[in-house]
Amino acid sequence: MMLLCSMLVFSVMQYTFAQSIRPSQNNVHVTEGKPVTLSCQYNGSADSLHWYRQYPRSKPEFVLLVLESSSKHVTYANPRIPGMDGQMSMSEKRVDLEISSATVSDSALYYCALQPTVTGNTSS
């Protein structure tokens, strides 16, 4: 079964030095059970990048936050969404959302953002 993940980018400029952020691909199709990586490219500098997902007729939900540092630091949703992880490449100015084994429930609209964008999620 093929899954479809769409990405939309939110760029909120407050408290960040990145000038823009954009998805590396607009639509991703993957076979159930296979790994998939969603990526966003940014320019400038960013301290942290957020990932959200949104199901039809639902509000976006926080997935994870990736902090820019020399070592990997990820803050996950509580409870953590199984099979989802994040990576950030400072040298390539890219942030990835990695889904280890895609399921039908992963079919959603995914957002990468420079700042928290969901009401009530105002802190890291």
Side-chain angles (χ1 to χ4, degrees), residues 52-101:
Y52 297 90
R53 75 175 172 191
Q54 184 176 17
Y55 293 109
R57 297 174 299 284
S58 298
K59 62 184 177 181
E61 66 177 315
F62 175 73
V63 175
L64 56 84
L65 162 71
V66 182
L67 297 176
E68 184 174 45
S69 66
S70 57
S71 63
K72 180 180 172 177
H73 184 78
V74 180
T75 301
Y76 301 96
N78 187 12
R80 183 176 176 177
I81 300 169
M84 293 201 181
D85 204 358
Q87 294 283 350
M88 188 172 197
S89 171
M90 294 181 291
S91 62
E92 295 178 26
K93 297 190 180 272
R94 186 185 81 236
V95 62
D96 297 332
L97 175 65
E98 301 163 342
I99 302 172
S100 60
S101 180

Side-chain angles (χ1 to χ4, degrees), residues 14-44:
Q14 183 180 4
Y15 307 118
T16 187
F17 298 107
Q19 288 82 28
S20 67
I21 186 169
R22 60 182 164 65
S24 298
Q25 64 275 46
N26 289 326
N27 292 302
V28 177
H29 299 270
V30 64
T31 303
E32 190 172 8
K34 299 289 185 182
V36 62
T37 299
L38 306 177
S39 299
C40 284
Q41 298 283 145
Y42 65 94
N43 66 22

